[in-house]
Amino acid sequence: GENVEQHPSTLSVQEGDSAVIKCTYSDSASNYFPWYKQELGKRPQLIIDIRSNVGEKKDQRIAVTLNKTAKHFSLHITETQPEDSAVYFCAAKSGTYKYIFGTGTRLKVLA
Amino acid sequence: ETGVTQTPRHLVMGMTNKKSLKCEQHLGHNAMYWYKQSAKKPLELMFVYSLEERVENNSVPSRFSPECPNSSHLFLHLHTLQPEDSALYLCASSQEGSAGELFFGEGSRLTVL
């Protein structure tokens, strides 16, 4: 069946450094790729998304890139801060209602 | 209240109990979802309702029974659960036909003894 692989499962960076999380999807019909941030005990919150007709999108310190040929998409966080520490999930959507999620990346930003 | 709200936030139940989880969305969305979140696993879709009709049912055991009385409310009725059902149950909503972004509730942390 369709799946989304997400790497790494844990990531520790020094404050101010960049963090990159990568996802690979299997369903070539996927056309929408959101990223969610989930802090401990909180709901997953959408932080950025990208659609299949775009290769890159940026919002302040956060950017997402999409390579449809390779079925890869990545989250880039620059100038990381302690409040960026959380679990990040990628997802690929193919068709109505059909979101496939990655297993999550626990990001720790060390002060 | 705004967004997606879930109650209760925490629930402990025995294997013979019957309980229900409640979700309410205040976003005017036309689709509502139940997801199960377990440690080190991807979010697992359980059920999807669109305009009060069930459109997805991902081979979920019958001890989980969803109910969607209207487009703003979604319930998950629980009966004779197993310890392995202990997890965080997340409700979400989306407006299909437009952006389709998922908005999640805070979740109900379920522990089955």
Side-chain angles (χ1 to χ4, degrees), chain A:
Chain A
E2 295 92 355
N3 71 310
V4 173
E5 292 187 5
Q6 183 172 346
H7 299 282
S9 56
T10 60
L11 178 59
S12 293
V13 299
Q14 291 292 328
E15 183 178 358
D17 287 352
S18 295
V20 180
I21 302 170
K22 298 183 179 182
C23 289
T24 304
Y25 61 97
S26 60
D27 187 351
S28 56
S30 299
N31 57 9
Y32 173 63
F33 307 90
W35 285 89
Y36 287 86
K37 175 184 180 182
Q38 187 175 25
E39 296 177 76
L40 192 62
K42 299 278 184 71
R43 73 183 76 208
Q45 289 199 295
L46 180 71
I47 56 170
I48 197 167
D49 55 14
I50 193 166
R51 298 192 184 271
S52 58
N53 57 348
V54 176
E56 183 173 359
K57 184 177 178 180
K58 191 172 181 182
D59 183 3
Q60 299 182 341
R61 296 186 297 108
I62 295 172
V64 57
T65 58
L66 172 64
N67 182 331
K68 282 191 66 180
T69 304
K71 297 183 191 169
H72 289 169
F73 58 115
S74 300
L75 177 71
H76 304 253
I77 306 174
T78 58
E79 301 170 29
T80 53
Q81 300 166 3
E83 52 265 37
D84 294 329
S85 296
V87 178
Y88 291 81
F89 294 94
C90 63
K93 186 183 183 190
S94 54
T96 311
Y97 319 120
K98 193 175 177 185
Y99 290 84
I100 308 296
F101 284 86
T103 49
T105 297
R106 184 172 299 280
L107 174 64
K108 293 182 185 177
V109 179
L110 308 171

Side-chain angles (χ1 to χ4, degrees), chain B residues 9-59:
Chain B
R9 294 291 311 279
H10 300 273
L11 178 62
V12 179
M13 58 188 289
M15 289 191 282
T16 57
N17 292 159
K18 286 184 183 180
K19 297 286 184 183
S20 295
L21 306 180
K22 178 183 175 183
C23 176
E24 184 173 2
Q25 59 99 358
H26 309 268
L27 300 167
H29 286 167
N30 58 15
M32 295 187 76
Y33 307 69
W34 280 116
Y35 281 91
K36 177 182 179 183
Q37 187 175 36
S38 306
K40 301 190 177 177
K41 285 187 177 181
L43 284 166
E44 299 172 56
L45 178 64
M46 300 176 73
F47 303 103
V48 183
Y49 276 81
S50 176
L51 299 173
E52 302 142 52
E53 284 194 27
R54 192 187 307 182
V55 294
E56 288 281 347
N57 177 354
N58 273 12
S59 303

Side-chain angles (χ1 to χ4, degrees), chain B residues 83-97:
Chain B
E84 59 264 30
D85 297 323
S86 299
L88 181 69
Y89 289 84
L90 288 164
C91 175
S93 70
S94 70
Q95 182 63 23
E96 294 305 312

